[in-house]
Amino acid sequence: QVELVECGGGSVQAGGSLRLSCAAAGYSESSDGHICMAWFRQAPGKEREAVAAIAADGTTTYEDPVTGRATVSKGNAKNSLVLEMNNLKPEDTAMYICAAALCRGGHWGDNYWGRGTQVTVSS
């Protein structure tokens, strides 16, 4: 059973920064080197959207709304993920949700999801 736990959310003023962390537990050693992880977010009344991702080989991708303001990286712990964002805007307010999946042969498998951590940006 894979479980993901996020932390680091809170209330921030516009222009500020945040650092979110996520840890995935429950993968077997055979999965080492094949875990992809990503951050999504969901604002009230809106659909869940991707924010940033890191592939098993370390390749990172960012969605347009956060490009230039976000950095996603692997954490120090195994199967962990960090998201750092600066110049936060009120429209960044959302529940930030971590996802992890097995990635083999260029295919991103089914996501496991965390429960999310709330980020609120005030103007």
Side-chain angles (χ1 to χ4, degrees):
Q1 180 75 12
V2 175
E3 295 185 350
L4 287 83
V5 177
E6 304 95 335
C7 64
S11 296
V12 186
Q13 286 197 329
S17 60
L18 62 78
R19 186 177 190 274
L20 305 180
S21 299
C22 169
Y27 280 108
S28 65
E29 288 187 1
S30 64
S31 300
D32 287 355
H34 298 285
I35 306 298
C36 296
M37 298 186 75
W39 286 99
F40 289 75
R41 66 186 182 185
Q42 187 165 17
K46 294 189 177 181
E47 293 187 355
R48 185 174 295 184
E49 63 177 7
V51 176
I54 189 163
D57 65 359
T59 302
T60 56
T61 55
Y62 299 92
E63 298 302 315
D64 287 345
V66 303
T67 297
R69 300 188 296 124
T71 301
V72 65
S73 59
K74 294 184 179 180
N76 291 329
K78 185 178 176 180
N79 296 334
S80 64
L81 188 69
V82 174
L83 176 69
E84 296 176 290
M85 286 182 61
N86 54 43
N87 192 23
L88 286 165
K89 305 174 183 180
E91 51 263 44
D92 293 318
T93 296
M95 182 71 76
Y96 283 71
I97 305 160
C98 181
L102 279 176
C103 296
R104 296 181 188 272
H107 174 70
W108 189 297
D110 293 337
N111 281 326
Y112 289 95
W113 298 95
R115 292 188 175 185
T117 183
Q118 178 67 38
V119 172
T120 302
V121 183
S122 58
S123 57

